[in-house]
Amino acid sequence: MPVDFRRPARDAAAALAVLTVATAALTGCSRGADTGAGPSAAAFDEPVSITNCGRTATYDAPPQRIVSMNDHVTETLIQMGVGDRIVGMGYGEKDDPLPETAEQFRAIPSLAAEYPTYEQIRDLEPDLVVGGMRSAFDDKTGRGRDALEQAGIHTFLFSEYCGAGFSDIALLENDFAQLGALLGAEEQAAELTESITTELDAVRARLEQAGVAPVRTFFYDSGEAEPLSVGGVGIGNLIAAYAGADNITAEGSKPYFTTGWEIVGERAPEAIVVLDYGATSAQDKIAYLKNQPIVATTPAVRNDRFVVVPLDDFFESSRMVDSVATIARGLHPAAFPDAQ
């Protein structure tokens, strides 16, 4: 029968005593290149039905052969204790997985530097493909959700990319509860969720206790002719809220969107968060911003107030704890005297 996985928000004050930001998570056993059905493959007592991105699926037993399409998905599944069921992964050439997932992460076969093809996925005979971004299920490449499901392969997409964005941490709670239920890993999923939300609430409570005011912040992803920034509906905007940053481009209707340098200049950010990824280094991005005629006039540049965060930490996973902590400490150092 369908199950309601929504849970109430947690009380931030209860997390005040938690001051560390390292996410404690469970890891599964090390695995080789293949996996078979073990005891966890036993059928559920009752079928588990979930609705993900408007698609309802029913599971008679936990999937045993999983293809993970994104790094943060792979890490999350390992943290939920089901890494031994991953038979292949996309974006599998990451050289710095989370320490608690590293051994298992590196043992999982990498299918492609980016996404595997439909044929690669099908040849592995998976019973579940999990994607962390909309691009994981690209109809144009033949690996859309419809195509996979028509081949008898269940799919699951992290809900930030269902279209409604990521306005509240309840979305992560719901996604992880659903994954835990369909994988037969409810306890591990709940512990991972508890770890993430407790750490996030601890940072927020620390800032509230210090009485700090949000800092007007420009989130710079990339772009020179026009900047790509963080909108108001993605996890980046939620990270900003937890970290005490006032996102100056929160009017954007997408997780990331193109704005204008004039808008950035008019809104005079006091700080700039630079997302670090790709061929252009964070330091090169900062150098460009310091020489961009409009941005160079802002308080952020005049005061050399930059915070660098890896793009890997801007996804729906335990890594968002690291980005919240990094930004909060960068913008509000007085609230974290232990870090100085």
Side-chain angles (χ1 to χ4, degrees):
M1 61 182 66
V3 182
D4 181 7
F5 293 104
R6 290 285 179 186
R7 303 197 300 173
R10 287 171 167 72
D11 181 2
L16 182 58
V18 183
L19 302 180
T20 61
V21 294
T23 302
L26 297 177
T27 59
C29 301
S30 297
R31 68 175 304 282
D34 195 12
T35 182
S40 59
F44 291 120
D45 292 339
E46 293 185 16
V48 172
S49 293
I50 67 164
T51 299
N52 168 246
C53 295
R55 296 169 179 261
T56 299
T58 300
Y59 296 79
D60 295 320
Q64 294 300 300
R65 296 183 63 82
I66 303 170
V67 171
S68 172
M69 299 291 274
N70 301 94
D71 291 335
H72 64 289
V73 173
T74 302
E75 291 177 335
T76 296
L77 293 174
I78 293 172
Q79 290 171 319
M80 288 185 180
V82 298
D84 58 331
R85 303 187 212 169
I86 304 175
V87 296
M89 61 179 171
Y91 280 92
E93 300 181 4
K94 186 177 185 62
D95 58 6
D96 60 342
L98 291 171
E100 67 268 26
T101 70
E103 180 179 357
Q104 215 168 14
F105 189 101
R106 293 182 176 122
I108 297 170
S110 172
L111 302 176
E114 294 186 2
Y115 290 121
T117 65
Y118 170 80
E119 289 75 20
Q120 286 177 296
I121 295 170
R122 184 193 58 195
D123 289 348
L124 286 172
E125 300 182 345
D127 43 15
L128 176 66
V129 178
V130 185
M133 301 177 67
R134 186 182 295 109
S135 55
F137 298 114
D138 186 356
D139 290 323
K140 294 180 181 178
T141 65
R143 60 167 192 276
R145 296 186 75 176
D146 286 339
L148 291 168
E149 289 168 9
Q150 287 169 9
I153 303 169
H154 284 295
T155 63
F156 187 94
L157 176 61
F158 279 25
S159 293
E160 178 181 8
Y161 292 91
C162 289
F166 201 114
S167 60
D168 190 271
I169 196 63
L171 196 69
L172 178 147
E173 293 179 312
N174 191 56
D175 277 353
F176 285 17
Q178 287 186 325
L179 278 172
L182 70 88
L183 293 168
E186 295 95 333
E187 183 177 347
Q188 297 95 321
E191 289 183 4
L192 176 59
T193 302
E194 180 72 21
S195 173
I196 294 170
T197 55
T198 297
E199 298 289 355
L200 292 175
D201 287 343
V203 175
R204 173 180 280 171
R206 187 81 168 259
L207 297 176
E208 290 176 352
Q209 184 184 46
V212 301
V215 174
R216 292 195 315 278
T217 304
F218 169 50
F219 287 80
Y220 179 56
D221 177 286
S222 59
E224 295 188 359
E226 294 179 306
L228 185 66
S229 188
V230 168
V233 297
I235 199 167
N237 195 61
L238 185 65
I239 287 170
Y242 272 107
D246 179 12
N247 176 17
I248 67 167
T249 56
E251 78 281 0
S253 60
K254 297 179 180 179
Y256 295 90
F257 79 111
T258 300
T259 185
W261 291 120
E262 294 81 5
I263 292 174
V264 175
E266 289 170 1
R267 296 178 183 178
E270 300 169 271
I272 298 175
V273 171
V274 176
L275 299 185
D276 189 12
Y277 73 99
T280 304
S281 70
Q283 291 308 312
D284 285 342
K285 290 181 180 181
I286 291 172
Y288 173 77
L289 292 172
K290 288 182 175 181
N291 288 285
Q292 208 287 335
I294 296 175
V295 183
T297 67
T298 65
V301 173
R302 291 202 308 267
N303 296 318
D304 198 26
R305 203 171 180 189
F306 293 90
V307 180
V308 175
V309 179
L311 181 64
D312 285 347
D313 294 352
F314 259 62
F315 292 107
E316 182 184 348
S317 74
S318 65
R319 284 178 174 267
M320 66 182 291
V321 173
D322 293 332
S323 61
V324 167
T326 298
I327 296 168
R329 291 173 185 270
L331 299 184
H332 305 286
F336 300 90
D338 53 305
Q340 300 180 28

